[in-house]
Amino acid sequence: LVVVVAVSHTGAQKLTYRIDESWPQNKSLISGQPFSVGVDQHQGVVYIMQRGGDCPMLMVNAATGKLVGDWGGVQPSPNKILDTPHGLRLQLGSDGSVEFVWITDVGNMTGHVLRKFTRTGNLQDIIGWPGSSGSSLNPLMFGNVAQLAFAPQDHGGGAYSFFVVDGDGGPNNRLLSMRGFENTFTVTWTTGSKGNATGQLDIPHDVDVTADGQRVIVADRANARLQAFSAADGTVLEALTCMRPSQPYGVRVLPQTTGDELYLAVTELQDHAVSIVRLSASSAAHCETVSRLTFGDAASPHLLDVHRETGDIFVADVTAAKVYKLVPHS
């Protein structure tokens, strides 16, 4: 069962989505728990990361749904390297295609780290102390590190900035800004502590960056809100509570953003739904849900990614062993 609710607002685009039931072509390929996805706009490929199953990573054509690759033959096997993978992000190279695949790990055996793989599945770097949960910045440690996002202006080689939400129910409730160059990583600022005041966090579960690189949007899950922070210094800009009582699990900035209107796609695992949220690009005065796609009670939409050219949304359902392709209604 899928229910689409469109809410009309003066001056707002009526953004609604439908499921492409033909995608992927072979749904039995997803044999584990798909928990996160990443979209390579340049190659038109969706990376599907799953726990368990015969292969942790699948690469599927974004348009046709046909399998185009996997990490099944990689040695050493990522299945043996990863403990409890959680978040997935793709880092672009100088030609605009995927150069590295980053995976966060929340497991207690070898997790609490960020792992950087080549796009073919070979491990390149580890940030954090595998199996050790902590809050230290020197040496840098994580606790149930949930997800990361890259500054859009830094794609294309050289030094780059990225933002990390730490953690998913662990000892930390913080947002970190980091700088990377080759195999060296430094923290430029950090903000957040456990609580429900503006600027505090309670299970920061996902993160994205606006296209201009100015604002970092955090899914502040247990506080049932989104929060926006300055990418420059971590200053909290606004707390967005228009989704309450729903808890946001995943968040992505949509390409339909124009002028003063910012549109976000948000997964709500406990409510089995994906919402499209509109807010003012300059003020939190207008925060509203413009449409909502509700799945059946067996669905658990976890994390998501967006094809920024087509506007298609790809959603990992962590319990139903499915990945949904949502396409905009014309």
Side-chain angles (χ1 to χ4, degrees):
L1 175 66
V2 177
V3 178
V4 179
V5 178
V7 184
S8 178
H9 296 278
T10 301
Q13 296 186 58
K14 297 178 182 178
L15 292 180
T16 58
Y17 282 77
R18 62 175 178 83
I19 294 179
D20 181 348
E21 299 287 356
S22 68
W23 199 99
Q25 286 185 12
N26 185 356
K27 295 175 175 56
S28 66
L29 288 171
I30 302 174
S31 56
Q33 291 181 311
F35 61 88
S36 193
V37 293
V39 180
D40 176 359
Q41 276 82 216
H42 184 79
Q43 297 291 335
V45 173
V46 180
Y47 287 68
I48 300 174
M49 190 68 197
Q50 52 186 344
R51 298 173 187 153
D54 295 330
C55 178
M57 185 74 79
L58 305 172
M59 284 86 89
V60 178
N61 185 285
T64 67
K66 182 180 178 180
L67 181 70
V68 295
D70 60 47
W71 284 4
V74 178
Q75 295 297 330
S77 170
N79 266 341
K80 296 181 179 180
I81 296 172
L82 297 164
D83 185 349
T84 309
H86 186 270
L88 164 70
R89 274 291 189 169
L90 306 179
Q91 184 182 4
L92 305 185
S94 57
D95 64 352
S97 63
V98 171
E99 185 174 14
F100 297 109
V101 178
W102 292 69
I103 299 171
T104 67
D105 198 324
V106 298
N108 287 322
M109 297 298 293
T110 60
H112 306 299
V113 295
L114 306 176
R115 288 188 174 91
K116 176 183 175 182
F117 294 85
T118 65
R119 62 184 176 185
T120 55
N122 298 115
L123 182 64
Q124 295 293 294
D125 276 305
I126 300 175
I127 307 178
W129 288 66
S132 297
S133 174
S135 304
S136 169
L137 295 178
N138 187 21
L140 180 59
M141 300 179 72
F142 298 108
N144 286 25
V145 57
Q147 184 59 296
L148 71 157
F150 292 94
Q153 66 272 23
D154 286 346
H155 286 155
Y160 54 92
S161 297
F162 59 105
F163 304 90
V164 180
V165 280
D166 178 39
D168 183 17
N172 304 324
N173 291 274
R174 62 187 182 181
L175 168 67
L176 299 93
S177 171
M178 298 188 63
R179 193 74 173 160
F181 181 70
E182 296 180 346
N183 63 346
T184 301
F185 306 96
T186 57
V187 176
T188 55
W189 55 255
T190 181
T191 188
S193 60
K194 186 176 177 64
N196 57 17
T198 299
Q200 290 187 304
L201 299 165
D202 194 352
I203 309 185
H205 198 261
D206 198 8
V207 59
D208 202 13
V209 186
T210 54
D212 61 7
Q214 299 300 306
R215 288 200 290 179
V216 182
I217 311 294
V218 174
D220 188 7
R221 194 182 103 188
N223 281 326
R225 66 186 179 187
L226 303 169
Q227 291 203 77
F229 297 85
S230 166
D233 58 11
T235 300
V236 62
L237 302 175
E238 54 221 14
L240 310 167
T241 60
C242 58
M243 295 179 57
R244 286 181 175 171
S246 297
Q247 293 190 6
Y249 274 65
V251 61
R252 287 294 179 273
V253 177
L254 291 174
Q256 289 90 338
T257 294
T258 58
D260 194 48
E261 292 183 346
L262 183 68
Y263 288 87
L264 308 172
V266 182
T267 52
E268 305 163 18
L269 183 145
Q270 295 174 359
D271 291 328
H272 324 290
V274 174
S275 287
I276 306 301
V277 175
R278 170 189 174 268
L279 58 137
S280 168
S282 58
S283 168
H286 299 288
C287 172
E288 56 196 2
T289 299
V290 297
S291 67
R292 197 166 192 246
L293 192 153
T294 303
F295 306 92
D297 289 347
S300 298
H302 188 237
L303 295 174
L304 74 164
D305 205 5
V306 174
H307 195 303
R308 300 191 184 279
E309 294 179 1
T310 64
D312 296 341
I313 301 171
F314 297 85
V315 182
D317 187 326
V318 73
T319 59
K322 295 180 179 179
V323 174
Y324 307 108
K325 178 183 179 180
L326 310 182
V327 298
H329 276 293
S330 57

